[in-house]
Amino acid sequence: MAEHSPGCTCFIIPPKMLRQLAEETPDTAERHCLLDQAEMSAHLRGQRSVAPIALGLVATATGEKRRTVYDGQNKSALPGKLVRAEDSKPSTDTAVNQAYDGAGATYDFYREVLKRNSIDNKGMRLDSTVHYQNRFNNAFWNGQQMVYGDGDGKLFLGFTSAIDVIAHELTHGVTQYSVPGGLVYQDQSGALNESISDVFGSVVKQWTLKQSVEQADWLIGPGIMAPAVGKALRSMADPGNKELTWSGDDQPKHMKGYVENGDVHTNSGIPNHAFYAAAIALKGNAWDKAGPIWYKALSLLTSNATFADMAKATAQAAVLLYGADSAEEHAVQAAWKVVGVT
Ligand SMILES: [Zn+2]
């Protein structure tokens, strides 16, 4: 049986954002719906998941790419009805195909670039459920699988169209299996957990689009929101920029702006921006050097790692990959200075 670190229930949309949107909506029914979803996200999040074996969701490792997509049929039960398996024909349902293709692109990235075989590095099957609940405004990794809502069509337009969102969710699984004991989903370790998902969410998107660090938009989730809500959830190039993101974006990009007891999606702006600074300094493609350095750092972390621990781990990883006193080591060290961690 595969060794397994219990994971968190990690949402792409912070409950705080749903609450803020609820406050702004004039429609009472809509407001209650948003508040219910915020409460549910807050309640579920950080919950330690049960062993996947008990749920029968994790099949034995085969070392090959294997994806399954389920239709949640607008209910809460997981995983739902099986609608697409590996090598079966595309569905007539766009969300099914997007979840399938996004999981495939993420698998390919980890396999080809980082030589990792799926989430657990043992060929774990990638399970996704689409059409979760009714007009559900979120997507999450629940410790065993990805789950996507359709969005209400008014504020959120669905979550499977954005490859960075899919790769973000899958990376929560990678973190869960790569950091010994997983990263506790609160305080700085929680913000690191979120940041690592944004980092690889963005890098997978860049790799898929073959974009250099200069060409990349460095945005998380453009396209999942109605234009009235904003352009994207977060910007790694400029956290807290309300022109690039949504009007409530309160992400700091420097330790000066660190929010005590802040949401994990808030303080993640700091390590996000450190990755961006390192990638820009290293030039070329983010998946050539910065991505592999951040990936290697995961195994050097502990469950309660702080930003300073991540700074140390990424510098160590750069030394392991490129040698002591290398340009790469210096670029990583400088990036953490940019955000005031070191
Ligand atoms: Zn997340």
Side-chain angles (χ1 to χ4, degrees), residues 10-11 168 172 185 194 265:
C10 310
F11 289 88
H168 174 110
H172 278 304
Y185 203 56
E194 266 309 307
H265 302 81

Coordinates of all heavy atoms in Angstrom, one line a residue, residues 10-11 168 172 185 194 265, ligand 1:
C10 N -8.6 21.8 -0.3 CA -8.0 23.1 -0.7 C -8.8 23.7 -1.9 O -8.9 23.1 -2.9 CB -6.6 22.9 -1.1 SG -5.6 22.0 0.0
F11 N -9.4 24.9 -1.6 CA -10.2 25.5 -2.6 C -9.4 26.6 -3.4 O -8.5 27.2 -2.9 CB -11.4 26.2 -1.9 CG -12.4 25.3 -1.4 CD1 -12.3 24.8 -0.1 CD2 -13.5 24.9 -2.2 CE1 -13.2 23.9 0.4 CE2 -14.5 24.1 -1.7 CZ -14.3 23.5 -0.4
H168 N -3.3 23.9 -10.6 CA -3.2 24.3 -9.3 C -3.8 23.2 -8.3 O -3.2 22.8 -7.4 CB -4.0 25.6 -9.1 CG -4.2 26.1 -7.7 ND1 -3.6 27.2 -7.2 CD2 -4.9 25.6 -6.6 CE1 -3.9 27.4 -5.9 NE2 -4.7 26.4 -5.6
H172 N -1.9 20.5 -5.4 CA -2.1 20.3 -4.0 C -1.9 18.8 -3.7 O -1.4 18.5 -2.6 CB -3.6 20.7 -3.6 CG -3.7 22.1 -3.4 ND1 -3.0 22.8 -2.5 CD2 -4.6 23.0 -3.9 CE1 -3.4 24.1 -2.5 NE2 -4.3 24.3 -3.3
Y185 N -2.3 23.4 6.4 CA -3.0 24.4 5.6 C -3.5 25.6 6.4 O -4.6 26.0 6.4 CB -4.2 23.7 4.9 CG -4.7 24.5 3.7 CD1 -3.9 24.7 2.6 CD2 -6.1 24.8 3.6 CE1 -4.4 25.4 1.5 CE2 -6.6 25.5 2.4 CZ -5.7 25.8 1.4 OH -6.2 26.4 0.3
E194 N -0.6 27.0 -0.8 CA -1.3 27.7 -1.9 C -0.3 28.2 -3.0 O -0.6 28.2 -4.2 CB -2.0 28.9 -1.3 CG -3.5 28.6 -0.9 CD -4.2 28.0 -2.1 OE1 -4.2 28.5 -3.2 OE2 -4.8 26.9 -1.9
H265 N -4.7 32.3 1.0 CA -4.6 32.8 -0.4 C -4.2 34.3 -0.4 O -4.0 34.9 -1.4 CB -6.0 32.7 -1.0 CG -6.6 31.4 -1.1 ND1 -7.2 30.8 -0.1 CD2 -6.6 30.5 -2.1 CE1 -7.7 29.6 -0.4 NE2 -7.3 29.4 -1.7
Ligands
ZN1 ZN -5.4 26.0 -3.7

